[in-house]
Amino acid sequence: MLLQIDVNSEETLYTQLANQIRYGIAKGYLQPDDPLPSVRNLASELGINMHTVSKAYNKLKEEGIIIVNRSKGVRISSSVLADRRTGYETVLEEKIRQLVSQSICNGIGEKRFLGMVKNVFTEMRSET
Amino acid sequence: MLLQIDVNSEETLYTQLANQIRYGIAKGYLQPDDPLPSVRNLASELGINMHTVSKAYNKLKEEGIIIVNRSKGVRISSSVLADRRTGYETVLEEKIRQLVSQSICNGIGEKRFLGMVKNVFTEMRSET
DNA sequence: CTTCTTGTTCTATATATAATATAACAGCTA
DNA sequence: TAGCTGTTATATTATATATAGAACAAGAAG
């Protein structure tokens, strides 16, 4: 899977990287137990620092999305995509609340919002 | 409307403030043309700095959600809640994409996600 | 006209986070 | 042993956040 970052983005580099890997998993580009590049290799490919990649990996590790092993490398968790019933749902609800608030302020109602969500889920299931 | 902040939150103070005002508008606590407290008064009430409130106001001003006038004070935009067709929809789509990616990684599928979104919209319409 | 309040601007400081850079360490493999 | 893995440690630079105090310009109210 192609990973790339935009140094001009407002998002931090490690956040962009973590987002792309989450997107890759949701989209199916990355599957459970798939290996990820080493921190040094990926940093080299992206032209960024090793520690920045490491930070992104550790964020995903804390979320239980990837498994990091000192000498075996990094791989997607085999339990990813499974319902793990963490405290995530509480966090998600607050994020949705913020996004919905912002949308309403911009004149985007429930119907259009739900339509956009459905489109994104469809995008995740589609090929390419 | 009661505004309050949590200094221990991971979110920055001005972001919390902006989120609460957006939520207040979405919920109906704040309506178009309603006045907001002056930067000095609100800062005093919340026990934070004047410039921090000013930063939150300016963020909302850039989004076209509030109107800031040098000597008339601050008020909710009269065109808020209306469909203003800004570039916001593009930003929203990317935010939804990130949230959906993260949800799928945590085993939360389309059905549950849509349910949570509908609940939040219902919450916005409900009293209290 | 004077006084007060408004948001804004400026300068300054302290703190935290982000990103980079080297270097070394510990575990495993070929 | 040589080479790879992630980790740890120290250091530096840059940016964002939050605070503080002062001053300014525009308007409202006495």
Side-chain angles (χ1 to χ4, degrees):
Chain A
M1 179 201 174
L2 180 67
L3 294 171
Q4 52 184 355
I5 51 161
D6 176 13
V7 290
N8 296 322
S9 169
E10 293 180 6
E11 276 184 329
T12 61
L13 301 184
Y14 82 92
T15 301
Q16 288 182 56
L17 200 48
N19 281 338
Q20 287 199 23
I21 292 173
R22 287 193 209 96
Y23 178 81
I25 295 171
K27 193 79 175 66
Y29 296 146
L30 296 170
Q31 300 190 339
D33 297 316
D34 274 357
L36 284 174
S38 75
V39 289
R40 288 178 178 81
N41 283 347
L42 185 50
S44 175
E45 281 180 26
L46 299 175
I48 63 177
N49 193 275
M50 174 187 64
H51 297 100
T52 307
V53 176
S54 182
K55 193 168 183 179
Y57 280 180
N58 272 286
K59 184 81 172 63
L60 297 171
K61 176 188 173 185
E62 286 170 14
E63 296 174 16
I65 292 177
I66 66 175
I67 303 294
V68 180
N69 192 295
R70 204 184 194 88
S71 57
K72 292 178 187 171
V74 183
R75 67 176 201 279
I76 310 293
S77 166
S78 49
S79 67
V80 85
L81 305 177
D83 189 341
R84 283 170 291 132
R85 297 278 176 193
T86 61
Y88 175 69
E89 210 158 350
T90 310
V91 177
L92 175 60
E93 190 183 3
E94 181 56 30
K95 286 186 179 176
I96 290 178
R97 192 173 285 115
Q98 288 177 15
L99 219 50
V100 167
S101 297
Q102 206 163 11
S103 299
I104 292 177
C105 288
N106 281 278
I108 294 179
E110 181 170 4
K111 193 175 176 182
R112 189 134 113 243
F113 193 101
L114 287 174
M116 291 177 74
V117 170
K118 286 175 187 170
N119 283 341
V120 171
F121 270 102
T122 302
E123 171 192 336
M124 295 300 176
R125 282 188 297 267
S126 72
E127 303 299 324
T128 68
Chain B
M1 178 201 177
L2 180 68
L3 293 171
Q4 50 186 355
I5 52 161
D6 176 12
V7 290
N8 296 321
S9 169
E10 293 180 6
E11 275 183 330
T12 61
L13 301 184
Y14 83 92
T15 301
Q16 288 181 56
L17 200 48
N19 281 338
Q20 286 199 23
I21 293 173
R22 286 192 209 96
Y23 178 82
I25 295 171
K27 194 80 174 67
Y29 296 145
L30 296 171
Q31 299 190 339
D33 297 316
D34 274 357
L36 284 174
S38 74
V39 289
R40 288 176 178 82
N41 283 347
L42 185 50
S44 175
E45 282 181 25
L46 299 175
I48 62 178
N49 193 276
M50 172 186 67
H51 297 100
T52 307
V53 176
S54 182
K55 193 168 184 180
Y57 280 179
N58 273 286
K59 184 82 173 62
L60 296 170
K61 177 187 173 186
E62 286 172 13
E63 296 173 16
I65 292 177
I66 66 176
I67 303 295
V68 180
N69 192 296
R70 204 183 194 90
S71 59
K72 292 178 187 170
V74 184
R75 67 177 203 277
I76 311 292
S77 165
S78 49
S79 66
V80 85
L81 305 176
D83 190 341
R84 283 170 292 133
R85 298 279 177 194
T86 60
Y88 175 70
E89 211 157 351
T90 311
V91 177
L92 176 60
E93 190 184 3
E94 180 55 29
K95 287 185 179 177
I96 289 178
R97 192 174 285 115
Q98 288 177 13
L99 218 50
V100 167
S101 298
Q102 207 163 12
S103 298
I104 292 177
C105 289
N106 282 278
I108 295 178
E110 181 169 3
K111 192 175 177 182
R112 191 137 108 242
F113 193 100
L114 287 174
M116 292 177 73
V117 171
K118 286 174 187 170
N119 282 342
V120 171
F121 269 101
T122 302
E123 171 192 336
M124 295 300 175
R125 282 188 297 266
S126 72
E127 302 300 325
T128 69

